[in-house]
Amino acid sequence: MSLAQRTVRLTSWGRFPVATVKVARPARQGDLVGLLGDDTHPSLIGRGYGRSYGDAALNTPGIVVEQVHFDRLLAFDETTGVLVAEAGLRLKDILEVFVPRGWFLPVTPGTKYVSLGGALACDIHGKNHHGDGSFSSHVEWFDLLTADGQVRRCSKTEQSELFWATAGGMGLTGIILTVALKLRRIETAYVSVDYRRTRDLDETLERCDAEDHRYRYAVCWIDCLARGKHLGRSVLMRGDHLPLADLPARYRTQPLRLPRKPEVTVPFSFPNGVINAWTVRAFNTVFYHKHPKATSGVVVDFDSYFYPLDAVLEWNRVYGRRGFIQYQPVIPLETSRATLVRLLEELSRAGIASFLAVLKRFGPQEGLLSFPMPGYTLALDIPVSGDAMFALLDKLDVLVVQAGGRIYLGKDARLKPQHLEAMYPQLPVWRRIKQAVDPEGRFSSDLARRVGLTAPD
């Protein structure tokens, strides 16, 4: 008997685009194999909890396979810190089990509501990429269900080509079933953070270049609407896990206690246009000036430092029913300053509003389609507002390509296909591996078709 499917209107975290798709939610691995053998649909794409921003986990002509039932912890080695778990397990669940035991994620994005499989498929990065690399750097192996119905174990030494095609491969090489991830040992559930205000982009980049290596974690909030001599003014927020010896006495009785905070939910979609140049400029001014010029050793619980937005459930509703784009390019080090100036000037001139504007320095690239490269990445949440906004982002794409940079596919919802090969020079290698493991194109997505990652279904 075929697995039940339902037709729904589905979107991802940016709430743009919206697609009408067929969704299957298998409970057993055998169900997945059955879906692969069902010729009534052209393709499949795996999906976790919908925290990618665009259409990477949408598949309009095919099936979206929700893996939320595949969420078991399978094994843990206290000596090595290697956790084996099913790909549908959330990072949140890992933290709740392992922080009290003295372990933390080796790499984490800005939300803990993502699955292990999604983290690997996007090869996520965090505030520590400049020193620790992407998620795939810490994956020992994973099991992948490929189009021929086989389960292949992939590591950096076994099926290594498939390993690096899957890390950052946006779910297009197969369905990730199980992941072995090496966790990081910690002594406390707290982070020591240094805050510093910078007056402009030059000071921001100078301090990042000279000082980021001193910190495991480094990120900048940047005022994307500042102009003139204040262009690129930022607040640097850099830190590391706090050792037990440095923990204030009031926390020492329970140094690994999970923070308990009331959850707040945005109950409805705000009117379109609430996030605009006026409201964001006011927020940016307050946020910038509330931070002192320099403060060192501020003790912050890990949840507040890594996941501030997770404290507000459904915060994406603030952007209204039209949703928002997260625009995230990375620019190589040698062209970063000039290109960032151009990008910020264009955004400020157009009044493009983003109160979630983040600047980070990256280290080396990992997988064939992994997003990071040595350089600076700028992440902006931009409300969907009309043709002028999309035209501006198209213009910014050209600047990114000219600078030798790329756009993050895990957050993209509108990149045009003519830029893809320039942005991802290892795309031909990835396509060769994809063709070998999935010759009939059984794994596809709206993203893959839109940007031309694979041939049409």
Side-chain angles (χ1 to χ4, degrees), residues 438-449:
D438 185 15
E440 296 180 0
R442 291 295 282 159
F443 294 99
S444 191
S445 66
D446 288 356
L447 167 73
R449 286 180 288 272

Side-chain angles (χ1 to χ4, degrees), residues 69-327:
H69 289 320
F70 298 92
D71 62 350
R72 294 179 300 164
L73 289 163
L74 301 176
F76 182 67
D77 188 324
E78 285 279 359
T79 303
T80 63
V82 175
L83 165 70
V84 180
E86 290 181 326
L89 188 70
R90 298 177 303 177
L91 302 187
K92 177 179 186 291
D93 303 317
I94 296 173
L95 292 167
E96 288 179 351
V97 171
F98 288 98
V99 167
R101 296 169 66 172
W103 297 94
F104 195 73
L105 297 164
V107 169
T108 181
T111 177
K112 53 186 179 288
Y113 292 100
V114 301
S115 68
L116 278 175
L120 179 59
C122 294
D123 200 15
I124 60 169
H125 56 269
K127 297 176 175 67
N128 57 334
H129 191 278
H130 60 287
D132 293 326
S134 298
F135 189 80
S136 59
S137 297
H138 309 274
V139 171
E140 299 286 302
W141 54 263
F142 58 84
D143 287 339
L144 183 73
L145 176 65
T146 50
D148 57 6
Q150 292 187 50
V151 176
R152 308 186 190 212
R153 178 152 296 183
C154 305
S155 71
K156 298 178 181 75
T157 58
E158 180 183 1
Q159 302 255 3
S160 60
E161 278 199 332
L162 192 51
F163 182 100
W164 292 116
T166 301
M170 306 310 299
L172 298 170
T173 58
I175 293 182
I176 301 166
L177 300 176
T178 307
V179 179
L181 178 70
K182 188 168 186 176
L183 302 184
R184 182 184 309 283
R185 176 76 77 175
I186 56 173
E187 296 182 5
T188 75
Y190 297 87
V191 181
S192 175
V193 185
D194 293 351
Y195 296 91
R196 178 177 286 276
R197 260 176 20 201
T198 59
R199 61 184 177 274
D200 56 26
L201 184 63
D202 282 339
E203 184 185 0
T204 300
L205 297 182
E206 286 170 6
R207 288 198 173 276
C208 290
D209 289 342
E211 300 168 1
D212 274 5
H213 69 278
R214 302 176 190 170
Y215 301 90
R216 181 173 297 278
Y217 304 106
V219 66
C220 311
W221 169 89
I222 187 167
D223 186 349
C224 65
L225 290 178
R227 298 185 181 185
K229 66 180 182 179
H230 299 301
L231 183 78
R233 69 179 182 178
S234 302
V235 177
L236 280 56
M237 298 172 278
R238 300 172 293 181
D240 202 345
H241 297 285
L242 194 65
L244 182 60
D246 297 335
L247 192 65
R250 64 184 181 276
Y251 301 129
R252 288 193 183 179
T253 56
Q254 294 180 296
L256 292 165
R257 180 182 181 182
L258 292 171
R260 300 296 180 191
K261 300 176 182 178
E263 290 184 337
V264 178
T265 301
V266 178
F268 53 82
S269 295
F270 280 30
N272 295 322
V274 167
I275 305 297
N276 57 55
W278 296 100
T279 56
V280 171
R281 184 169 282 113
F283 171 86
N284 287 359
T285 300
V286 171
F287 188 87
Y288 180 77
H289 287 289
K290 84 168 188 174
H291 287 89
K293 290 184 177 179
T295 308
S296 299
V298 179
V299 177
V300 180
D301 67 79
F302 78 86
D303 209 52
S304 297
Y305 182 68
F306 291 104
Y307 314 112
L309 287 175
D310 281 351
V312 183
L313 303 179
E314 308 294 343
W315 61 262
N316 55 348
R317 293 174 176 172
V318 170
Y319 287 89
R321 294 190 181 277
R322 289 191 301 227
F324 66 98
I325 301 288
Q326 180 152 121
Y327 186 74

Side-chain angles (χ1 to χ4, degrees), residues 235-450:
V235 177
L236 280 56
M237 298 172 278
R238 300 172 293 181
D240 202 345
H241 297 285
L242 194 65
L244 182 60
D246 297 335
L247 192 65
R250 64 184 181 276
Y251 301 129
R252 288 193 183 179
T253 56
Q254 294 180 296
L256 292 165
R257 180 182 181 182
L258 292 171
R260 300 296 180 191
K261 300 176 182 178
E263 290 184 337
V264 178
T265 301
V266 178
F268 53 82
S269 295
F270 280 30
N272 295 322
V274 167
I275 305 297
N276 57 55
W278 296 100
T279 56
V280 171
R281 184 169 282 113
F283 171 86
N284 287 359
T285 300
V286 171
F287 188 87
Y288 180 77
H289 287 289
K290 84 168 188 174
H291 287 89
K293 290 184 177 179
T295 308
S296 299
V298 179
V299 177
V300 180
D301 67 79
F302 78 86
D303 209 52
S304 297
Y305 182 68
F306 291 104
Y307 314 112
L309 287 175
D310 281 351
V312 183
L313 303 179
E314 308 294 343
W315 61 262
N316 55 348
R317 293 174 176 172
V318 170
Y319 287 89
R321 294 190 181 277
R322 289 191 301 227
F324 66 98
I325 301 288
Q326 180 152 121
Y327 186 74
Q328 185 168 3
V330 58
I331 312 297
L333 287 172
E334 57 270 22
T335 56
S336 57
R337 186 200 175 280
T339 307
L340 286 169
V341 167
R342 291 282 304 279
L343 293 175
L344 291 170
E345 285 178 342
E346 292 284 355
L347 290 162
S348 182
R349 187 180 302 116
I352 294 296
S354 175
F355 71 87
L356 296 176
V358 172
L359 183 72
K360 286 187 294 228
R361 179 171 171 147
F362 277 160
Q365 180 180 355
E366 308 294 337
L368 296 172
L369 294 186
S370 293
F371 168 63
M373 65 170 68
Y376 282 92
T377 182
L378 178 68
L380 306 165
D381 284 353
I382 300 172
V384 172
S385 58
D387 292 342
M389 181 211 71
F390 286 102
L392 175 63
L393 296 184
D394 289 344
K395 181 178 180 180
L396 299 187
D397 288 344
V398 174
L399 296 178
V400 171
V401 170
Q402 290 173 344
R406 60 174 65 118
I407 299 296
Y408 189 13
L409 296 178
K411 294 182 178 178
D412 177 60
R414 30 69 48 202
L415 181 68
K416 289 186 166 57
Q418 60 263 34
H419 298 310
L420 188 68
E421 292 193 11
M423 290 181 172
Y424 287 89
Q426 296 193 78
L427 182 60
V429 179
W430 181 87
R431 283 175 171 158
R432 174 180 59 77
I433 300 168
K434 162 72 171 173
Q435 175 64 25
V437 77
D438 185 15
E440 296 180 0
R442 291 295 282 159
F443 294 99
S444 191
S445 66
D446 288 356
L447 167 73
R449 286 180 288 272
R450 174 173 55 80

